[in-house]
Amino acid sequence: MSWGVDNLPYGVFSCPGQAPRVGVRYGDKVLDLAAALHDEVFAAPSLNPFMARGRAAWHDTRALIRNKLTGDRSVTEAHLIPLDQVRLHLPFEVADYVDFYCSIDHASNIGKIFRPGSEPLQPNWRHLPVGYHGRSGTVVVSGTPVKRPQGQLGAGAFGPCQKLDIEAELGFVVGVPTTMGSPAGAFEDHVFGVTLVNDWSARDIQAWEYVPLGPFLAKSFATSVSPWVTPLEALPRIPGRAQEPEPAAYLRRQGDWGLDIELEILLNGEVVSRPPYSAMYWTPDQMLAHLTVNGASLRTGDLFASGTISGPEQGQRGSLIELTWNGTDPIKLQGGETRTFLQDGDTVTIRATAAGLTLGEVSGTVG
C-alpha cells in the first residue's frame, strides 16, 4: 500500500465545526493523533510543536504509530477518519523560506536559453549551492488558487505576467532550530521531513528585475506545498551525484543524502514531464550546511527547497521555460491544444513516488 505503514506522512486536518489538528495519513484515512496517542502536542493546528521535540521523539512516535496500526486496531480504528470527511490545511507554520538552484541540468538549460554561445553555468555554480531568500507569507497549501501576478515587464511596461511558469521542487522542513552564530549539525538532527513544492514563477517579471540582486516579485506571489510532510526516515537514500571540483570542507558530504524520488508534472491532467530527483547535483545536507555556515540561525518551521528538479532528457525538465525552450517550442497537449506558459484556468499538479511510497501531490489552478 503506497499509503501504508512504511509511509505515514504527517499533515493537519479539520472536521466540520472543529479546530485543525495533526494527523497521519494511512490509506484513504487520516489518524487523529491527539486522540489515538493521548498527546496534546498533536492538538495544535500545526506540526511545529511536535517537530521541535527532535529526532528521538520523531523516531519513537513513528514506531508507536506503526505499532498501533499493525497491532490490535480495536481502539485505533475509532480514530481513523475518511479523507473525504476532512479539510487539509498548511501542515506547518512557515518560519523562513529559502529556495535553492541545485539541478545542474536545470541551471545549464537556463544558461543556454539566456546566454547562448557562452558557458551555461556561472563561475560559482559548482562551488556552492546557489540560493535566495523567499517569502514565507505566501507559502500556501495545495489547492489554493493562484492569481496571475502583475509587475514590471520592461522599461515603462507594467501589467499582468505573460510568462507564468511552475517549478517542480522538493522542500525540506526544519524541526530543530539552531542558535545564531552556530552552523547546523547533522542534517538528520534538524530536518524533519520533505514536502512537494511548486514555486510559481513569473518569467517576464523575473527577466527584468533579477539583475543584479536576483529573484524578488517574480517569485514571491505564491509557493504551493503539499498538505503532507513525509518523514526523512521513510525515504530511500542513495549516494549523491558526483561533484567536480571537490566542494569546500564544510560542504563535503557526511552521508548518503541523495534521494531516489520520481516526480510527475501534470498540466490539466496530462503528464508533461517526469523529473528525477536523483539527478540533482547538490544534496539537501549541503544546502543546509551552506544555509547556516555564516551563522544564520534555523527556526522550527523553516522551509528550504531544492530549486527546479530537472533531468538530462527533454521529458525530464521541471519547468515550462525549459520544456518549451522559453516559448519557442510549445507543448502539444491531447485534443490539439498547445502551451508555452500557463493560461488562466490551467491546473498544474506535481506528484511523486519513492520506492513504492506516494509522497502526495501539490496542485494549483491559475485564476
Side-chain angles (χ1 to χ4, degrees):
M1 181 191 294
S2 60
W3 295 105
V5 293
D6 292 328
N7 194 344
L8 300 178
Y10 290 82
V12 170
F13 74 99
S14 63
C15 297
Q18 297 182 4
R21 55 196 186 275
V22 175
V24 156
R25 180 163 181 178
Y26 181 68
D28 59 357
K29 298 180 179 180
V30 58
L31 179 64
D32 184 345
L33 292 180
L37 304 185
H38 307 288
D39 189 336
E40 285 303 304
V41 76
F42 298 114
S46 85
L47 277 166
N48 291 43
F50 171 62
M51 295 194 301
R53 286 184 171 178
R55 185 181 173 191
W58 306 339
H59 173 81
D60 292 346
T61 301
R62 179 174 168 81
L64 179 59
I65 295 169
R66 287 167 64 101
N67 287 339
K68 285 185 173 291
L69 290 172
T70 55
D72 181 2
R73 291 266 298 275
S74 58
V75 176
T76 308
E77 194 71 38
H79 305 302
L80 283 166
I81 306 168
L83 281 169
D84 60 9
Q85 297 180 17
V86 306
R87 177 186 174 190
L88 299 176
H89 302 267
L90 192 67
F92 56 98
E93 185 179 351
V94 184
D96 285 310
Y97 169 50
V98 171
D99 196 29
F100 282 96
Y101 190 50
C102 290
S103 166
I104 195 168
D105 298 297
H106 172 68
S108 296
N109 285 336
I110 296 300
K112 291 172 185 175
I113 289 171
F114 290 110
R115 297 184 300 277
S118 301
E119 167 57 42
L121 298 177
Q122 298 286 6
N124 66 345
W125 200 92
R126 289 180 182 270
H127 294 270
L128 55 85
V130 174
Y132 70 93
H133 201 91
R135 192 70 173 265
S136 60
T138 46
V139 176
V140 296
V141 71
S142 175
T144 303
V146 175
K147 185 176 181 179
R148 183 178 298 273
Q150 296 190 94
Q152 289 196 28
L153 310 175
F158 179 90
C161 165
Q162 299 301 307
K163 290 186 173 184
L164 184 59
D165 199 356
I166 58 101
E167 291 186 339
E169 306 192 19
L170 189 65
F172 301 88
V173 185
V174 172
V176 175
T178 61
T179 57
M180 190 171 176
S182 301
F187 174 75
E188 58 269 36
D189 288 341
H190 294 282
V191 173
F192 172 71
V194 304
T195 188
L196 289 177
V197 173
N198 183 352
D199 195 32
W200 305 83
S201 298
R203 298 298 184 186
D204 40 8
I205 296 173
Q206 182 179 359
W208 174 242
E209 75 175 0
Y210 87 103
V211 179
L213 290 182
F216 188 48
L217 298 181
K219 300 282 192 174
S220 62
F221 61 97
T223 300
S224 299
V225 300
S226 169
W228 302 110
V229 180
T230 302
L232 285 186
E233 198 170 341
L235 297 174
R237 293 164 52 181
I238 57 176
R241 187 166 174 165
Q243 295 180 318
E244 177 62 37
E246 184 179 24
Y250 77 93
L251 287 172
R252 290 174 193 162
R253 295 167 177 155
Q254 302 301 312
D256 290 340
W257 281 111
L259 299 172
D260 190 11
I261 298 173
E262 296 290 331
L263 286 79
E264 286 186 326
I265 301 172
L266 293 85
L267 176 55
N268 297 332
E270 183 178 339
V271 176
V272 295
S273 183
R274 291 184 169 89
Y277 190 83
S278 58
M280 298 296 276
Y281 187 88
W282 294 104
T283 49
D285 53 321
Q286 294 175 309
M287 299 178 216
L288 185 69
H290 189 62
L291 177 61
T292 60
V293 71
N294 68 339
S297 59
L298 296 175
R299 294 191 288 173
T300 300
D302 278 358
L303 171 67
F304 64 96
S306 62
T308 303
I309 301 165
S310 292
E313 306 298 329
Q314 184 172 1
Q316 297 177 329
R317 296 169 181 170
S319 62
L320 293 178
I321 194 171
E322 295 172 88
L323 286 166
T324 70
W325 215 247
N326 199 23
T328 63
D329 185 17
I331 295 173
K332 297 177 178 61
L333 300 173
Q334 295 174 0
E337 284 191 281
T338 62
R339 287 292 186 278
T340 52
F341 293 93
L342 296 175
Q343 297 181 8
D344 288 351
D346 283 347
T347 297
V348 176
T349 300
I350 301 166
R351 59 193 185 193
T353 57
L357 304 180
T358 299
L359 270 67
E361 62 180 39
V362 57
S363 187
T365 298
V366 180

